[in-house]
Amino acid sequence: MSLTIKQRLASTKKLNLPQIVQPQHKHEMSHHKFSAAGLDHSSLQPCPAEVVFQNYSPGEVCEMPVVLRNRDKVPHLVKVSLESSPYFQLEIPSDAHRKVPPGLSMTVHILFTPGQNKDYFHQLLCITEREEFIVPIRAIGARAILDFPGQLHFSECPVKCSTEKTLLVRNLGNRAARYQLSTQGPFSVIPAMGTLGIGDSMQVTVRFQPLKTGGHSASLTVHYDTGEDTHTSLHGKAVDVHIRLDRNAVTFGKTYITRSNHTTVLIHNLSNITAHFQWKAVDTQEQEDQMKLTQYPRLCQQDKDKLSDFLQECRVDTTRREHSALLTRTLQRVRAKVQEDPMLFYDDIFCLEPKEGEIWPKCSAEISVFFKPQEARVYNQAVYCDISGEGVGPRLHFSCEELNIGEVFFRATYRYEEILFNKGPLEAPFSLLPPTTPMGSCFTFLPQKGTVVPDRFQPIHISFCPTILGEFQEEFCFHVTGSPKPVTLTIRGCVMGPNFHFHVPALHFGDVSFGECALGSHRSVTLCSNTVREYKLELVVDVDGVGKKLLALPLTARCIVPALRVHNPVVTFGHCCLKFPYKEKVTLVNDSDFPGCYCVLPQEHKEKAAAWYSSSEPSGIIEAHSSVEIPITLEAQQLGECKVTAEVAVFGREGSPLEIHLECIGQGPVVYIYPREINFGTIPVLQDSSKTLQLSNQTDIPAPFWVELAGKCSHWRIEPSKGVVPPMSEVSVIVTAHLDDTKKFQDKVKVFIENSHTTIISVQAEGIGTTIVTDKPLAPKFDFKPHFSFTHCCYKFKMTNQGRRIHRLFWVTEGFSIFQHSTRPSALRGTKSKDASQSPRPHSPVFKLQPLMMDLRPGQTVEMVLEGCSSTAQEVKERLLCYATVGKETAKKQIMQVDVTCKFILPVVQMSARTITFHVEKKPSDVLALQYQPLSLKNTCPLPFSIVLDLEQPFQICNVDQQPLAADSKPMTLDVGEELHLCIQFDPAYEKDLNSRVAERALRMRFMEHPHEEQITVRGEVYFPNLHLQAEAVDFGCIINHTEQELHMEMTNCGPIPAQYRWSFLTDPHVNTIRFRPSPPKFKPQSSKKKGGFPRRHSKTESVEELTETPKTIQNSAQQPADAEDSLETGELSSTAVEPQRPVRKRGLSQFSEVKHPNPGMQEVFDVQPLWGELQPGESQLVTFTFFGHANITARVTALCHVEGGPTYEVVVTGEASCPSYQLDVEEIDWGLQVFNKVLKAKVTLQNTGVVELTYVVLNPSTGTAAKPLPGVPLVLPTTGSIAPGKEQVLKVYYLPGKPGVFCRTFQVQVAHLEPAEIHLKGEGTFPRITTDLPCMLKGNEKYKKILK
C-alpha cells in the first residue's frame, strides 16, 4: 500500500483471467466458429486484471492504462464501456470499437478524480462477440501501514527455552493504525492490539518458546480496522543442548524400615546456555496434561464441598444466581491452579532435592536422592528429567525453495537472484553440483561456491538463456560441507517459441504496368516490375535458430508497357527576353488500360543551342485512359528566332522517343533613364554633394550597365559605375560632385546598357565656402574636455589650402581686439598668487591660437597650436573667427568660426570615510596588536590624477595586504573611476603606560597635478581599565586630639571596560611621615593651599559637610540681615564709656600634663574603604578616607589605587591632631551710666589661637532680635559658628536695661568641648527726671509700672 500507482502497476506480475459475466452466441456476431480460449475464461487478457488507485490526493487527476490483449487465435470485436460516475472517466482512442487481431492488444485509459481520501469502487465492462467480462476498479484511500518485515527468523533455540526479538515498527501510512496482532504457537506477540498514530513508532516483541525439537513456522498476522491483513513469516528451530546425567540409574542398598538412605546424582551442563531442569513423574507433555485432567475433578469437588460447608456454617441465604457465581469463580480458581502446577515428582518412598533449578553454562548441579522404605520389599520408581542434548551441522536454506519464472521466450536472456541464508551457529561452505540435464545447462549460477558465516546470507545470481522449447522443472543441488543433505532449489517455467502462419494461400498480382509498384491484398508484399515478363515466385520464412523455409507463399504477376502520345507536338513561346525562363505545358495522353511511366530526356549539346529547355516534373506516371500536362521551361540564348526539339521517353518502350518542337523570338532589356539633366546649383567646396540618377528596367530580364564621365579630370564621380538592373525594378546611380574652388563646373555622364542603346546626361555645379581645411576636428565647435585648473590645455592641428588660389588668413577672438589678443594673459602666476583664485581679467581671452596670421598657397600646410589655462575652476567658452582674402580679391570674408569650450575642474576623490576611528579596549588578559581599517579612494572626476599620502605615527598607510607602504614610495595614479584600496594601520602600543589615550592625526592627500589638498581625520582610541579620582590629595586639616574624621571622594569609571581596583599605602618612609608635637602649637599661617581640594568632609564630632577646599567660617543661619544693625540707635563705645576690663586670658588644654605618644602604624592613622572592588563602565563609587587623630600627631601618607590592567593612582593624604585653644579679648563689659530705654552695644573678639578649627555656641541665647532685644536679657550675635585656626570672630553684644537701676548680667560661650567661658555685663540704667503732679498714663507702657511704684 506504500507504492504509488505507477509502482504498483509495474510490480504486477501475475495476470488472472477475468470470469465471464455473460456469454454471447459467437455465431451470431462473428464468422469465426472456433476459439482457442476456454469456455470459463475470457478470450481477452486485461492488464492489470484489477485497476487499483492508491496514494492519491483529493482533486488530483490520476490515470491508469488498461491493456486488453487478444489471447485467442481469431480476431475479436471489442467494446469497452464505463458507467457514469463523477469520479471515474473512460478515455478511449478513436478506434476503440474495433477488431483486435490475435496476439495484439488495444489500450484504454481510466481517469480518476477523487473528491476525498477515501475508498472508491467501480467496474469496467468489456464486451466481445463471445462474452462479457468485468475489470474491477478500486481506489484505496487513506491507510495505515506498519512496516513489519516480510520474514522473521529466530536463531537456533534450546527446546523449552524462550527467545525474544524486538521490532521497531513505524506507521508509514496516512491514517492512524488500529491493529490486532495474532500468531500461533510456539510463537507469541506483545502487544496484541493497539493504536499507532501517523509517523509514530512502537516496539513489538515476538517470543519463540518451542516445546519440542525441530523446525517451527507460523505467521504473524496484522489485522487493520480497514479490513486488510498483512503477514510476516516466523521461522525458528528448537534443538537439544548438551546436558546429561552422570548416571541413568540409582541403586540403594538394604535399608531398614523407618530409616533413610541417600545418594547423589550429577547433572552436567556442557552447553553455553543456562539450563532449567525439573524432575517429573511422567515422560511427555501429553501424559502431564492427562494427569492434570484427572486431578481437576477431584479438586473441584473438594472446593465445592468447602464452599457448601462454609455457607451452611455462616447461615448465608443466597439465591441460585449468586450461588452459581460463587461456584463459577471457585472452578476458575481451581482450573488456574491446575494449569500453574508444574507437576513435579512427589513420592513417599523416594525424594529428590532440589526438584527444580538452574544450571549455569559449563557447570554441574548435584541432586540428592533419598530413600525411606515403609515396608520390607523391593521398590522401583522411574523419575524423568526433561533435559537432554544432541549436535547439529550447518543449516543453509534458500529464501525461496521453488522459483517459478513463468513463460519465457526462446534464446532470450533472463536474470534472477536468490538469497542463501545460514541460520546455524556454524560456518557453511557450499558448492554447486553441476546439472546433468540439457535444460539445466542453460542456467548459470554465480558464485558457484563459497562460505556463509552464521546469521549471514549470500546472494546467488542466476542467468537463464533457454535453447529448448517447452515446459521444464529443474532441481539444482548445493553441497554443504558437514550436512548430510544438500540444499536444493527448484526452478520451473515454460519456454515459448515462434508460432505464425499466412492467412492467404497465395498472392496474385495479375497484370502490372512496367515500373509500377503493386501491393498485395493485405499490403504486406510489394511488387516492383522492371522487366516485361511473367512472374512466378515464392515468399519463404526463415527463423534463426529454429529452421529454414518454415513457410512459403506463392507469388504470380505479368508486366506490360502501355502506348503513349503527345497531344500538342509544337509549342510556340513568342517574344522572349534573353536568358529568362518562360513556361508552357505539353499534354501527354495514355489511351491504354494500364498506367504508363514517362521521362523528359535532358537536352544534349546545350552550350551550342539557341535556346535551353527543361521541365520541373520531368518524369511521372499516367493512369490508364487519362492524360497529364508536362511543364516545359524555355530560355532564349540569342537575339532573333530560336527553335529547339525536346524528347520524351516511355519506360519499357524500345525505339525513338516522342518529340516536342519548341519555338521563340529572343530580345534584349528595355531601360528608361531619368532625369536627362542634373544641376547641383551652389554646393560647398571640398564636400561631397550627391544627386540620384534612376535606371528603370521595363523587362523581365536583368539589364547589365556601366557609366562613364566625358571629362578627363572631372570633379564628379559615379557610384556604382557598373551593375545590373533587376527585372521590372529600378537601380539608383549616385552622381557625386566634389569641387575644389568657388566657381562654376560642367561635365557629361554616359550610361551604357548591354544589348541596348547609350544615354548621355549633362551635369553642372558651382562651389561656395572655403578650401581651407584642418587635419583634425576643429570647427564649428571644439571641446577641450575637462582639464585641471592651473594646467595648460593644448591642441595642435594643421591647416591646408586644398583650393586652387592663395589664401591670406588671420584669426581673432570675438569680443577682443587684435592688440588685446596678442598680449598673453598671465594665467600661471604660481599657486600662491594673489589673484590665483580669481577669474581671468575680462579683457584677456583664455584661449590663444598661434600663428594668428599666415599666407597659404595651394596645397600648402601650416601647423597651428591652440592653448589655454585658467587658475580657477570654471567652464570657459570663447569664439574664434578666421578671416581670409582669396587670390586677387581685396575684400576679406569670414571663412571659419570655432566655439572653443573647456571645463577647468578640481581633482575630486571619493573617500570611503572622512573620519577613521580605531577603538581598542585593552582588558587585563588581552595583548595589544596592530589594528587595521580599510580605506578606499575613488577618482570621481573625469581626469586621472596622482596622489601622495602622508600620515604621522602612530598611524601608518598600508596596502590592501596590510603591508606598510615605503616612506619614499612613488605617487599613486588613479584613472577615471578607478578605486584604490588601502589599509590604515594603528599601533595601540605607541605609548608604554597603561593610561587610556587618544591619538588624532590628519591623513594628508596631495595631488601632483593640482595644488588642492584633501585630508582625512584618523583617530585612535586606546582604553585601559582607568578610573577618574575626584582629587589627587586628601587634607584632613587639623582635628581635635583623640577624634576621627571621614572624607569622601568620588571615584568614577569613565571608560568602557570594567575596572577592578584595590587600595594600599606606599611603604616608603621618605614619603610617608608620622611625627608628634611636644605641646599644643600656636597657629602659624599657611603659605598656600593644598593642591586638589577635597569635595566632601565628615567628622565624627561634627555633622556639617563642607563644599570648599579650605575650611572657612560658617555664619549662623539665624544671623540677622545687614540692615538690622542700622536700625539700632547705638554706636561704638569709646574707651571712656566703659570701665577698665579684665585682662585677657588664653583658654585651652595646655594646663594638662604632657601626653605620652605611642608609635602607631600607618593603618592605625589612616584607613580607606572599600579596599577593593569593581566598577562597571560609567559607574561611580564614594571612597571613604578616615583619619584617626592621635594626640598631637602630624601624618602624611601616599595612598595607592591599583587598577588591574591599568595604572596606579597616587593620592596624598595628610592630617594632624591637636588640642583646641582660644582667647577672649574681654571677659567683663562695664557700660557705666546709660539711658535705660536705649539698646547698649559692645564687641567681644573670640580668637582661635590653636591649630584646630573651633566651633562655639552661646549658651541659652535670647530670643530677641538686634532691633528689639528683650529687656534685661543679653543678646549675642552670632550665637554659633566655627573659627579657623588663627582667625577670630567678633561677637556683638546687645543689651536693653529696660528699667532704671544698677544691672549685672552674665552670658556663657562654650568653645569646642571646653568648659564654658563667662562674660559679665554691668552698668546702671537711668533716665532724665522730671517732676510733675500730673497722673501717669501707662497705657501701652505697662513695663514701667513697677519702676514708678
Side-chain angles (χ1 to χ4, degrees), residues 850-1129:
Q850 294 290 341
L852 292 177
M853 301 178 63
M854 68 210 76
D855 290 339
L856 286 180
R857 294 184 296 274
Q860 185 180 359
T861 300
V862 64
E863 293 185 354
M864 306 292 294
V865 178
L866 177 62
E867 60 182 354
C869 182
S870 175
S871 61
T872 60
Q874 61 177 343
E875 185 174 1
V876 180
K877 295 182 180 179
E878 293 181 356
R879 177 172 292 176
L880 301 179
L881 303 176
C882 180
Y883 294 92
T885 57
V886 182
K888 297 180 180 181
E889 297 177 359
T890 58
K892 67 176 182 179
K893 60 180 179 180
Q894 179 181 331
I895 64 172
M896 195 176 300
Q897 173 181 312
V898 182
D899 292 331
V900 183
T901 303
C902 183
K903 186 176 182 181
F904 294 95
I905 62 174
L906 294 175
V908 181
V909 60
Q910 177 181 337
M911 293 166 281
S912 59
R914 282 283 183 181
T915 302
I916 299 177
T917 302
F918 293 89
H919 184 90
V920 180
E921 296 182 3
K922 170 63 172 65
K923 297 180 180 179
S925 60
D926 295 343
V927 178
L928 291 178
L930 296 177
Q931 305 293 317
Y932 297 90
Q933 284 202 21
L935 173 64
S936 60
L937 305 175
K938 184 177 182 181
N939 182 2
T940 58
C941 68
L943 294 175
F945 54 74
S946 299
I947 58 175
V948 176
L949 301 178
D950 184 22
L951 182 60
E952 298 178 356
Q953 291 291 338
F955 304 99
Q956 197 169 4
I957 305 172
C958 303
N959 56 20
V960 72
D961 297 327
Q962 300 181 355
Q963 298 299 321
L965 300 180
D968 56 348
S969 60
K970 296 181 180 179
M972 292 171 282
T973 302
L974 291 179
D975 291 334
V976 178
E978 183 180 357
E979 188 170 4
L980 178 63
H981 296 281
L982 300 172
C983 284
I984 303 301
Q985 180 194 89
F986 172 56
D987 184 7
Y990 67 96
E991 292 185 2
K992 302 304 181 182
D993 57 17
L994 300 178
N995 293 316
S996 298
R997 48 186 176 267
V998 177
E1000 186 169 316
R1001 304 289 187 271
L1003 171 60
R1004 290 181 174 82
M1005 186 186 313
R1006 293 185 292 107
F1007 298 89
M1008 305 300 297
E1009 295 81 4
H1010 200 276
H1012 177 68
E1013 287 190 1
E1014 293 279 358
Q1015 68 177 14
I1016 299 174
T1017 302
V1018 184
R1019 178 183 176 90
E1021 302 174 356
V1022 183
Y1023 292 96
F1024 295 87
N1026 278 196
L1027 297 175
H1028 173 70
L1029 302 183
Q1030 190 175 0
E1032 298 179 0
V1034 177
D1035 186 6
F1036 285 91
C1038 185
I1039 66 175
I1040 301 175
N1041 285 343
H1042 303 293
T1043 63
E1044 66 179 63
Q1045 185 176 358
E1046 292 181 353
L1047 292 180
H1048 303 281
M1049 180 180 66
E1050 188 176 52
M1051 181 170 58
T1052 305
N1053 183 0
C1054 299
I1057 306 175
Q1060 295 183 358
Y1061 66 90
R1062 59 181 178 87
W1063 286 91
S1064 65
F1065 290 110
L1066 187 64
T1067 59
D1068 189 357
H1070 299 287
V1071 178
N1072 300 337
T1073 59
I1074 297 178
R1075 58 187 177 85
F1076 296 91
R1077 288 186 294 272
S1079 63
K1082 295 183 179 180
F1083 172 76
K1084 295 182 180 180
Q1086 298 181 1
S1087 60
S1088 62
K1089 297 181 180 180
K1090 297 289 184 178
K1091 181 180 179 181
F1094 209 73
R1096 297 187 181 182
R1097 174 186 295 263
H1098 178 70
S1099 174
K1100 293 296 181 64
T1101 60
E1102 301 178 7
S1103 61
V1104 181
E1105 289 188 357
E1106 300 181 2
L1107 302 178
T1108 57
E1109 295 181 355
T1110 306
K1112 295 183 179 179
T1113 302
I1114 301 179
Q1115 299 296 331
N1116 184 19
S1117 60
Q1119 188 173 354
Q1120 300 297 322
D1123 55 354
E1125 182 179 351
D1126 298 336
S1127 64
L1128 297 177
E1129 298 179 1

Side-chain angles (χ1 to χ4, degrees), residues 16 29 81 115 159 241 329 346 367 373 422 429 450 465 505 572 662 703 758 777 807 859 1001 1062 1155 1271 1328:
N16 298 323
M29 303 180 63
S81 62
V159 68
V241 293
R329 286 195 294 271
Y346 290 99
I367 308 299
N422 183 0
C465 181
T572 303
L662 308 177
T758 301
H807 283 63
R1001 304 289 187 271
R1062 59 181 178 87
V1155 179

Side-chain angles (χ1 to χ4, degrees), residues 817-854:
S817 64
I818 299 178
F819 177 77
Q820 292 172 341
H821 189 276
S822 62
T823 303
R824 181 184 181 95
S826 179
L828 294 175
R829 296 183 180 179
T831 58
K832 298 182 180 179
S833 175
K834 191 182 233 181
D835 300 332
S837 61
Q838 300 178 358
S839 301
R841 296 191 302 270
H843 297 290
S844 177
V846 174
F847 303 107
K848 180 182 178 182
L849 189 63
Q850 294 290 341
L852 292 177
M853 301 178 63
M854 68 210 76

Side-chain angles (χ1 to χ4, degrees), residues 288-289 292-293 295-297 299-300 303 327-343:
E288 183 177 333
D289 295 338
K292 290 181 179 181
L293 291 177
Q295 293 181 5
Y296 180 69
L299 294 176
C300 288
D303 286 353
L327 184 59
T328 301
R329 286 195 294 271
T330 301
L331 296 179
Q332 290 177 351
R333 184 171 61 254
V334 171
R335 184 183 298 110
K337 182 178 179 180
V338 172
Q339 292 295 333
E340 294 175 358
D341 188 2
M343 303 300 291

Side-chain angles (χ1 to χ4, degrees), residues 4 27 181 196 269 288 511 536 744 893 929 988 1068 1089 1245 1278 1336:
T4 62
H27 64 277
L181 305 179
L196 188 63
N269 182 5
E288 183 177 333
D511 292 336
K536 290 184 179 181
K744 189 175 182 179
K893 60 180 179 180
D1068 189 357
K1089 297 181 180 180
T1245 301
C1336 296

